[in-house]
Amino acid sequence: MANWSNSQIKQFLLLGFLGLASLSGTQKTASTWGFAGHRRINEYACYLLPPSMSVFFRENQRFLIEHAVDPDQRRYSVPEEAARHFIDLDRYYQKGEDPFWQLPQSWTEALACYPEDTLMAHGIVPWHIVKMKYRLQEAFERHDISAILKNAAELGHYIADAHVPLHTTRNYNGQLSNQRGIHGLWESRLVELEAEHYNYWIGHATYISDVSAACWKAIADSHAALDSVFLIEKVVSQQFTSAEKYSFEQRGTTLVQVYAQEFCQVYHQALNGMVERRMRAAILMTASIWYTAWIDAGQPDLSSLRTMAPVSTTTDSNQIVKFQLEKALGRICD
């Protein structure tokens, strides 16, 4: 810091405190996969579609990428939005029990067992993915380009969320295990540093005969990885001092505190490909549910939609939101 001005030093110290606060945040609405991760998942899902869908989706790929984060940005204006991104399985079982034996996979059956406000409080992501699949299917049936693109983009977001281990627990940010900040570390910082090196040769979209079962399988796989997420972070953290674990990076005109690259590299390596596997699974499932919705809609010809622009209005939770090619109106952004 010898060459820094006094104002820069003050900014460094101030942002250090702010950075620690942001790393230890406990809000459930923290962005999942990071914006870059969500956009990447929608982007690569387009490449897995069959020719009868790929032309339409590739021509509208920019829209699908840019609007992959709309559900996160809508959290501030739609009260019920937050519940759609997670499910706290450990609210429904005690340690050592089967996480699913008391939790019906059917929404109707779940409502017969628990009050709706309880289900909403503990998260509804697997049920909401099924709901979004039917919305997309209906949009295909209507040949409504705005609804197709809006629902496809947002469906990819919720599917991606279901593949994040930390979205299956009440300890979503390590706040109950003295590991605050692990939320952003696992799904944002590691992706930011490592995603360019992942293998995206995944295969092709396939028809899913039981979307609900597929959603719960994704949740189960995510939850099964949860212990490793926490345990490995604790083990790796013991190898670093606090000064080594965190660093400062310039983001635009702001200096922010982040997890140090060396710490992230060691943690990422110790996870043994977990983040990449969950991202690849999210990409494949996104493409496959898009494909399934199109099949169940009767395989409508999408070529007639290729020259249309997605400018019609759609309704979500009684809120009118207009979507255009490059901008979503009527929302509060981060």
Side-chain angles (χ1 to χ4, degrees):
M1 289 187 193
N3 297 325
W4 284 21
S5 66
N6 289 334
S7 61
Q8 286 176 311
I9 294 173
K10 290 179 180 178
Q11 181 189 39
F12 180 92
L13 295 173
L14 174 61
L15 289 170
F17 288 111
L18 294 177
L20 284 171
S22 65
L23 286 169
S24 62
T26 59
Q27 290 189 358
K28 194 74 178 189
T29 55
S31 173
T32 56
W33 280 115
F35 281 9
H38 274 296
R39 290 172 174 140
R40 185 179 294 266
I41 288 168
N42 274 8
E43 175 187 2
Y44 282 91
C46 293
Y47 299 125
L48 276 56
L49 298 171
S52 49
M53 295 182 70
S54 64
V55 174
F56 171 77
F57 274 77
R58 290 287 296 277
E59 288 187 348
N60 291 283
Q61 192 175 38
R62 179 179 176 183
F63 181 94
L64 294 166
I65 293 170
E66 292 181 352
H67 292 272
V69 298
D70 283 353
D72 275 339
Q73 295 173 324
R74 195 169 53 233
R75 300 167 317 207
Y76 305 104
S77 57
V78 179
E80 61 269 30
E81 178 63 46
R84 301 167 181 170
H85 299 251
F86 68 96
I87 181 166
D88 292 340
L89 291 179
D90 45 12
R91 299 281 187 178
Y92 297 98
Y93 71 93
Q94 300 297 320
K95 188 173 182 180
E97 294 180 344
D98 181 349
F100 300 99
W101 78 275
Q102 292 190 84
L103 191 58
Q105 296 184 8
S106 162
W107 177 248
T108 301
E109 293 177 2
L111 285 175
C113 296
Y114 300 97
E116 184 172 4
D117 58 352
T118 297
L119 295 172
M120 293 294 291
H122 302 333
I124 61 170
V125 64
W127 295 299
H128 191 65
I129 292 172
V130 175
K131 182 176 182 179
M132 290 297 298
K133 180 269 180 183
Y134 284 108
R135 285 184 180 177
L136 178 58
Q137 178 180 330
E138 292 168 357
F140 278 129
E141 292 170 350
R142 298 194 309 269
H143 284 215
D144 184 339
I145 188 172
S146 289
I148 291 170
L149 295 178
K150 166 184 163 56
N151 288 302
E154 296 187 6
L155 180 55
H157 183 105
Y158 298 118
I159 292 170
D161 285 353
H163 285 77
V164 176
L166 289 161
H167 277 253
T168 68
T169 175
R170 71 179 84 179
N171 190 26
Y172 54 90
N173 196 35
Q175 73 277 10
L176 304 179
S177 56
N178 196 29
Q179 293 172 282
R180 291 185 184 273
I182 196 171
H183 186 190
L185 167 64
W186 192 97
E187 56 191 26
S188 294
R189 182 62 168 161
L190 296 187
V191 171
E192 171 192 359
L193 295 174
E194 303 290 345
E196 290 294 332
H197 309 297
Y198 292 167
N199 177 8
Y200 297 103
W201 292 96
I202 300 170
H204 301 288
T206 59
Y207 181 79
I208 300 176
S209 58
D210 190 335
V211 172
S212 176
C215 291
W216 285 98
K217 175 63 165 57
I219 291 292
D221 290 345
S222 293
H223 197 63
L226 192 60
D227 286 346
S228 296
V229 171
F230 288 119
L231 176 60
I232 293 173
E233 195 277 340
K234 279 186 177 292
V235 171
V236 172
S237 292
Q238 292 174 0
Q239 304 173 30
F240 293 81
T241 65
S242 180
E244 294 169 336
K245 184 175 180 179
Y246 304 104
S247 63
F248 288 86
E249 291 184 1
Q250 194 77 26
R251 301 293 174 90
T253 59
T254 306
L255 193 67
V256 297
Q257 187 181 52
V258 296
Y259 286 95
Q261 292 191 24
E262 183 180 356
F263 171 81
C264 292
Q265 290 167 358
V266 174
Y267 181 45
H268 187 268
Q269 184 175 7
L271 287 170
N272 194 29
M274 180 196 294
V275 181
E276 179 178 2
R277 288 193 300 273
R278 299 312 294 151
M279 177 171 280
R280 283 167 54 89
I283 293 169
L284 179 58
M285 187 172 177
T286 295
S288 294
I289 294 186
W290 286 351
Y291 176 59
T292 300
W294 177 74
I295 291 288
D296 290 348
Q299 304 179 50
D301 181 7
L302 302 180
S303 62
S304 61
L305 305 180
R306 289 169 56 188
T307 59
M308 298 172 62
V311 294
S312 67
T313 59
T314 54
T315 304
D316 181 84
S317 302
N318 300 317
Q319 181 183 23
I320 300 296
V321 183
K322 292 184 178 180
F323 282 83
Q324 295 178 335
L325 276 173
E326 298 186 5
K327 187 177 182 181
L329 305 177
R331 71 187 187 193
I332 300 175
C333 300
D334 289 333

